[in-house]
Amino acid sequence: MKSFAALFNAIDQSTKTTVKVAALADYFATAPESDRIWTIAIFSGRRPKRAVTTTKLREWGAEFAGIPLWLFEESYPIVGDLAETIALVLPQPNSDSDHGLSHWINTLRGLSNVEEDARKAQVLAAWDSLDTTQRFLFNKLLTGGFRIGISQKLMTRALARATGRDEAEMAHRLMGDWDPATTTWDTLIASDDPTANASRPYPFYLAYGLDDDVENIGNPTDWQAEWKWDGIRGQLIIRDKSHFVWSRGEELMTDRFPEFARAPDFVPDGTVLDGEVLVWGDEGPQSFNVLQKRIGRKTVPKKLLAETPVILYAYDLLEWKGIDIRHLPLSERRATLRKLCKTLPIEAAIKLSPDIAFKTWDTLADIRSTARTASAEGLMLKRLDSPYLTGRKKGDWWKWKLDPLTIDAVMIYAQSGHGRRANLFTDFTFAVWNGNELVPFTKAYSGLTDDEFRKITAWVKKNTRERFGPVRSVTPEHVFEIAFEGIQASPRHKSGVALRFPRMLRWRHDKPINEANSLEDLNEMLAIYG
């Protein structure tokens, strides 16, 4: 645990990418192989499951520290993080442990199989043999909430430096459904067969948002335009006469979309398609609101399957007949994809996402303004000679989204944040007018500057009307412009609507609350965009 704690400190104490990569590369070159595997897993979101409830941890932490629980509970919101609070209040350890990260991971994984008294004894024994930083990391793993500011890109760069292999190859090896408890360093990183797992997807190529004038990216004849679909980005993999569906978040979704079961009957073995999983209706792609009915379901009832059939709207071809073709220009990859899609029957559940013809940027801007009518979020712009790269790169792929929908709303509830913002009120509930009544319709917690959060926090403290646990009811006085990407009907909400990706666009100091929007305004938006 000492070397892992040293790595954490090196990463946490620097904002320089070069320092973080160097620390990671040194760790991957020198740490025990089992510790390296678990470090990769933890940094890429494959954390062990929570072994102890936070309620028990607070009780055990207060008991071990010899302080009353109320004092611990008062300290928690000040620190803003449970794992750190426990690490800070505990007395100095009575022993020193030389066990590595994998030992403590295995300890945590074994806690679910023992009675509570034994579980408590093992946690307290760990606290009594680890220093403050090691305790903090142990607690983070214990709660299942370990997160650190290391991107997949930084990790693959460090692995490439430590192993002498290509960075893109390292990114590809880390994709897929591998288990750190059963995977070895040799299998995952050092072996000569990076494609041994037939289900392994490729790292996704991600676009930057286009904030500049579109004319500045170059001649329109060098670019392909297509709709930015509002579905689930995914890869459909056909290998070894089987099929696999992966989301961009590296979630295996094969069983959730049985529509693709027949794809191997029509698509050549060794094919990987990149596209958008969308519900397909009589008039073409449906909105994300329709797809939501199937998200989160492990199995889909026959009735829902019939009502919301999905397809892969394919827009890129990454592997063809067993050969990785990501290095080829987009124009060549699309030409092969176009030929493939022309041969596919309806049963394959794959369609080609079409290009959008345009000659000038002004023409394309007019087309972009109709995106919501096409159930799209905007446009994707891709340079025709671009390869399919790894991660987010600037220059070749841009997303040119529509401006968000907006509504002016009144803040009526406030709740404090977490982590470094634990002392600030950052989570707010907003309402619109329904006659003379303010009806809550959404929550938002992002969009303001730190200075604005400090100002609204000071105001909330002085204008609290009631408290409901951590939530405060405040005097209706401030109007905020709320931006969102979509709206849908929702019987679960008192307002009858739910917003997609709501956030605070600006604090409307210039607007009194009687000029905020109404529920009728929201319903008009629902009729147009829902």
Side-chain angles (χ1 to χ4, degrees):
M1 197 67 151
K2 291 178 180 177
S3 60
F4 184 66
L7 171 65
F8 171 79
N9 283 330
I11 292 171
D12 189 54
Q13 293 171 7
S14 177
T15 58
K16 294 184 178 180
T17 298
T18 53
V19 172
K20 294 181 179 182
V21 170
L24 279 164
D26 182 64
Y27 178 86
F28 288 136
T30 59
E33 291 187 358
S34 58
D35 285 5
R36 298 181 213 172
I37 286 291
W38 274 109
T39 299
I40 294 171
I42 291 166
F43 285 5
S44 60
R46 294 171 173 84
R47 300 178 293 271
K49 294 181 180 179
R50 176 180 292 180
V52 181
T53 66
T54 56
T55 299
K56 288 298 178 185
L57 284 178
R58 293 199 297 269
E59 293 174 358
W60 297 350
E63 179 185 332
F64 194 73
I67 61 175
L69 183 58
W70 69 263
L71 181 56
F72 181 92
E73 298 290 4
E74 287 294 319
S75 304
Y76 179 18
I78 302 301
V79 177
D81 182 274
L82 177 60
E84 187 175 4
T85 305
I86 294 172
L88 291 172
V89 302
L90 296 182
Q92 290 297 310
N94 288 312
S95 60
D96 182 35
S97 170
D98 287 325
H99 291 307
L101 173 64
S102 57
H103 166 84
W104 294 111
I105 293 286
N106 289 330
T107 298
L108 295 179
R109 295 177 67 239
L111 290 179
S112 59
N113 299 322
V114 299
E115 297 295 328
E116 184 177 308
D117 288 345
R119 193 178 306 173
K120 177 181 177 181
Q122 290 188 46
V123 171
L124 268 55
W127 286 344
D128 205 28
S129 63
L130 300 170
D131 65 24
T132 301
T133 301
Q134 294 172 43
R135 285 170 172 171
F136 168 72
L137 296 173
F138 177 79
N139 293 340
K140 278 294 190 184
L141 295 170
L142 190 60
T143 59
F146 191 99
R147 292 177 180 84
I148 191 168
I150 291 293
S151 66
Q152 192 89 340
K153 181 178 179 180
L154 286 188
M155 191 161 60
T156 53
R157 187 183 301 175
L159 283 167
R161 180 183 297 187
T163 62
R165 294 180 180 270
D166 183 70
E167 185 177 333
E169 180 190 337
M170 289 295 101
H172 189 198
R173 286 172 178 262
L174 299 187
M175 296 290 285
D177 192 22
W178 58 275
D179 184 349
T182 57
T183 302
T184 66
W185 172 264
D186 182 70
T187 301
L188 185 67
I189 301 298
S191 69
D192 291 328
D193 186 11
T195 59
N197 185 352
S199 72
R200 179 176 289 158
Y202 289 100
F204 285 83
Y205 189 9
L206 308 176
Y208 270 91
L210 183 63
D211 299 321
D212 201 1
D213 191 325
V214 67
E215 294 184 357
N216 292 335
I217 69 172
N219 192 319
T221 60
D222 296 333
W223 293 84
Q224 170 187 291
E226 58 191 271
W227 291 119
K228 185 183 185 306
W229 300 111
D230 189 16
I232 298 176
R233 175 90 179 271
Q235 287 181 27
L236 174 59
I237 298 169
I238 312 293
R239 294 194 189 114
D240 292 351
K241 298 181 180 179
S242 298
H243 76 287
F244 311 90
V245 183
W246 288 94
S247 73
R248 199 189 89 180
E250 290 191 56
E251 183 180 6
L252 188 61
M253 307 185 298
T254 310
D255 293 341
R256 299 185 192 181
F257 301 112
E259 287 92 340
F260 301 117
R262 293 204 59 194
D265 296 338
F266 311 105
V267 178
D269 213 48
T271 297
V272 178
L273 301 165
D274 183 13
E276 205 84 6
V277 177
L278 295 166
V279 172
W280 190 266
D282 294 336
E283 298 179 359
Q286 303 296 292
S287 71
F288 184 81
N289 297 341
V290 181
L291 182 61
Q292 271 192 319
K293 298 176 183 178
R294 293 187 55 172
I295 294 176
R297 289 178 176 266
K298 296 294 184 182
T299 58
V300 186
K302 289 183 179 180
K303 184 174 184 293
L304 189 56
L305 275 174
E307 293 174 349
T308 58
V310 303
I311 65 158
L312 181 76
Y313 225 12
Y315 39 68
D316 216 327
L317 184 63
L318 314 186
E319 184 178 317
W320 179 239
K321 296 181 179 179
I323 299 174
D324 179 355
I325 63 169
R326 292 176 295 160
H327 63 285
L328 296 179
L330 171 65
S331 56
E332 292 187 32
R333 301 195 308 272
R334 285 280 296 189
T336 305
L337 176 62
R338 191 174 292 109
K339 290 179 182 177
L340 168 65
C341 289
K342 284 182 179 179
T343 68
L344 298 178
I346 295 175
E347 293 82 359
I350 300 169
K351 292 183 179 294
L352 177 70
S353 176
D355 307 351
I356 296 175
F358 71 102
K359 292 184 178 180
T360 69
W361 292 124
D362 287 342
T363 300
L364 191 61
D366 290 339
I367 295 172
R368 169 178 168 263
S369 67
T370 67
R372 286 194 176 93
T373 304
S375 296
E377 296 180 304
L379 295 173
M380 291 296 301
L381 306 177
K382 300 176 182 178
R383 196 181 294 275
L384 288 166
D385 62 1
S386 64
Y388 190 98
L389 301 175
T390 297
R392 200 178 300 278
K393 311 286 185 183
K394 265 190 177 178
D396 287 342
W397 283 25
W398 298 96
K399 51 185 177 183
W400 193 18
K401 298 179 68 173
L402 284 177
D403 293 333
L405 299 168
T406 62
I407 199 91
D408 288 332
V410 181
M411 186 184 75
I412 58 172
Y413 296 109
Q415 185 173 347
S416 58
H418 302 279
R420 70 182 184 88
R421 287 181 168 173
N423 294 327
L424 299 174
F425 287 96
T426 62
D427 299 12
F428 307 111
T429 300
F430 295 94
V432 289
W433 292 105
N434 185 20
N436 295 321
E437 178 189 9
L438 282 170
V439 178
F441 73 102
T442 195
K443 294 182 179 180
Y445 54 87
S446 63
L448 300 185
T449 65
D450 285 350
D451 183 56
E452 286 176 316
F453 276 127
R454 283 190 288 270
K455 288 179 179 178
I456 198 67
T457 294
W459 181 87
V460 167
K461 290 178 178 178
K462 295 178 181 178
N463 292 272
T464 297
R465 302 168 71 180
E466 295 180 86
R467 298 191 185 198
F468 310 95
V471 178
R472 296 193 184 194
S473 168
V474 296
T475 304
E477 184 174 319
H478 293 287
V479 175
F480 289 79
E481 185 176 5
I482 307 300
F484 52 99
E485 300 302 323
I487 184 170
Q488 67 184 92
S490 175
R492 296 187 299 108
H493 294 80
K494 184 178 180 181
S495 63
V497 300
L499 307 187
R500 186 154 188 242
F501 299 142
R503 67 267 189 197
M504 293 169 280
L505 195 61
R506 58 178 173 147
W507 189 349
R508 296 296 306 267
H509 297 283
D510 60 321
K511 183 166 277 196
I513 64 170
N514 63 304
E515 293 183 13
N517 284 105
S518 67
L519 188 57
E520 183 180 355
D521 297 328
L522 280 173
N523 285 325
E524 287 180 4
M525 286 186 173
L526 180 63
I528 298 172
Y529 305 115

